[in-house]
């Protein structure tokens, strides 16, 4: 995982955010272009940490895996123009086109797997009654509430984004707040005061790498985002 995260970071960045849509919000019988067309204003996934973030409007690099979405042909309402997503020839191209629209200039990789995520027991059944046994959204709750969800479509992503600036800066502020010199056990465990301060400075420098789309030298190599 560490090496995989390294492949998504550059210009001094070392951290990526994990996100997921579990389950991926898909109506039964809908195609991937139809599903993503309904999310043109926002991405259909959530951050997996407790860090409270604002809407993700841009990123530097990301890798996304989607599994278990049905491969029905795209549909469109009469008189409705087809979106660029409906012109793609493969699910991978659909995802790439979606990311190109949502995050212009970002380096993105995508993979689509047909097999869904297995959620049969002992997987915890914490799902909404508005899910079918295959994990797709229903118009109304199932009549048989005891029916377990056997599988779900899932989207997972690792993303290097500017929002990590506030996460890392907040962590740095929390570490600076207490007076660690008053905690004798902290340093008797082998931590030196100078090493601790140096680590805080490195953390603050790392946070600054996510402050904008530019590296520490004020520019970012465009080849990294091609």
């Amino acid at each position: 995982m560490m090496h995989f995260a390294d492949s998504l970071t550059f210009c001094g960045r070392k951290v990526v955010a994990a996100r997921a849509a579990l389950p991926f919000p898909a109506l039964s019988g809908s195609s991937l272009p139809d599903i993503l067309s309904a999310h043109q204003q926002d991405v259909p996934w959530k951050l997996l940490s407790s860090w409270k973030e604002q809407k993700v409007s841009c990123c530097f690099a990301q890798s996304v895996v989607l599994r278990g979405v049905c491969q029905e042909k795209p549909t469109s309402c009469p008189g409705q123009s087809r979106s660029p997503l409906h012109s793609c020839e493969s699910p991978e191209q659909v995802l790439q086109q979606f990311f190109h629209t949502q995050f212009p200039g970002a380096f993105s990789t995508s993979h689509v797997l047909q097999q869904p995520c297995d959620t049969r027991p002992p997987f915890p059944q914490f799902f909404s009654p508005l899910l079918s046994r295959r994990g797709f959204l229903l118009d109304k709750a199932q009549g048989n509430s005891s029916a377990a969800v056997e599988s779900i479509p899932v989207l997972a992503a690792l993303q290097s984004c500017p929002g990590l600036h506030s996460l890392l800066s907040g962590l740095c502020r929390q570490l600076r707040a207490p007076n660690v010199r008053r905690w004798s056990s902290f340093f008797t465990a082998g931590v030196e005061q100078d090493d601790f301060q140096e680590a805080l400075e490195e953390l603050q420098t790392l946070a600054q790498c996510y402050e904008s789309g530019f590296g520490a030298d004020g520019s970012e190599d465009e080849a990294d985002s091609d």
Side-chain angles (χ1 to χ4, degrees), residues 11-13 165 168 172 176 198-211 216:
C11 295
R13 306 180 189 111
H165 168 71
L168 296 172
C172 190
R176 291 183 187 276
E198 182 180 355
L200 287 179
E201 294 299 328
E202 291 177 352
L203 181 60
Q204 186 62 47
T205 300
L206 178 61
Q208 293 173 354
C209 293
Y210 292 88
E211 191 168 6

Side-chain angles (χ1 to χ4, degrees), residues 117-127 148-151:
C117 179
D118 187 7
T119 57
R120 290 173 294 183
F123 197 95
Q125 291 297 310
F126 48 68
F127 302 107
V149 177
E150 297 178 352
S151 64

Side-chain angles (χ1 to χ4, degrees), residues 62-80:
Q62 62 185 349
S63 180
V64 181
V65 176
L66 175 66
R67 57 185 298 178
V69 174
C70 49
Q71 302 296 323
E72 278 80 0
K73 294 182 179 180
T75 59
S76 59
C77 299
Q80 180 182 9

Side-chain angles (χ1 to χ4, degrees), residues 6 12 32 66 68 78 90 117 126 128 137 139 155 163 166 171 173 182 185 198 219 222-223:
D6 286 343
L32 184 56
L66 175 66
S90 67
C117 179
F126 48 68
S128 166
L137 298 175
D139 293 332
L155 184 145
S166 60
L171 177 60
R173 287 193 299 270
R182 300 175 60 181
S185 60
E198 182 180 355
S219 64
E222 293 182 356

Side-chain angles (χ1 to χ4, degrees), residues 23-212:
F24 184 67
L27 290 170
S28 180
S30 298
S31 68
L32 184 56
D34 295 334
I35 298 167
L36 293 179
S37 293
H39 292 276
Q40 292 294 333
Q41 302 302 319
D42 199 2
V43 290
W45 61 59
K46 301 296 182 182
L47 188 69
L48 294 183
S49 76
S50 58
W51 162 50
K52 185 178 181 180
E53 64 168 350
Q54 298 178 347
K55 178 181 177 181
V56 179
S57 58
C58 64
C59 76
F60 309 123
Q62 62 185 349
S63 180
V64 181
V65 176
L66 175 66
R67 57 185 298 178
V69 174
C70 49
Q71 302 296 323
E72 278 80 0
K73 294 182 179 180
T75 59
S76 59
C77 299
Q80 180 182 9
S81 60
R82 290 166 59 87
S83 71
L85 297 177
H86 291 83
S87 303
C88 298
E89 298 181 354
S90 67
E92 289 81 4
Q93 291 181 2
V94 172
L95 282 179
Q96 284 295 117
Q97 178 63 38
F98 178 76
F99 296 140
H100 177 73
T101 302
Q102 294 286 337
F103 309 108
F107 171 76
S108 299
T109 64
S110 58
H111 304 277
V112 178
L113 306 176
Q114 185 174 359
Q115 184 179 6
C117 179
D118 187 7
T119 57
R120 290 173 294 183
F123 197 95
Q125 291 297 310
F126 48 68
F127 302 107
S128 166
L130 292 174
L131 286 184
S132 69
R133 296 175 68 92
R134 298 300 179 185
F136 293 101
L137 298 175
L138 300 171
D139 293 332
K140 58 181 181 180
Q142 301 181 85
N144 184 7
S145 59
S146 63
V149 177
E150 297 178 352
S151 64
I152 56 172
V154 175
L155 184 145
L158 290 180
Q159 191 178 66
S160 174
C161 61
L164 288 167
H165 168 71
S166 60
L167 172 65
L168 296 172
S169 296
L171 177 60
C172 190
R173 287 193 299 270
Q174 292 177 5
L175 291 174
R176 291 183 187 276
N179 184 5
V180 294
R181 294 178 179 177
R182 300 175 60 181
W183 300 352
S184 58
S185 60
F186 188 81
F187 295 104
T188 56
V191 179
E192 297 292 339
Q193 176 70 29
D194 291 342
D195 293 339
F196 179 72
Q197 293 300 326
E198 182 180 355
L200 287 179
E201 294 299 328
E202 291 177 352
L203 181 60
Q204 186 62 47
T205 300
L206 178 61
Q208 293 173 354
C209 293
Y210 292 88
E211 191 168 6
S212 68

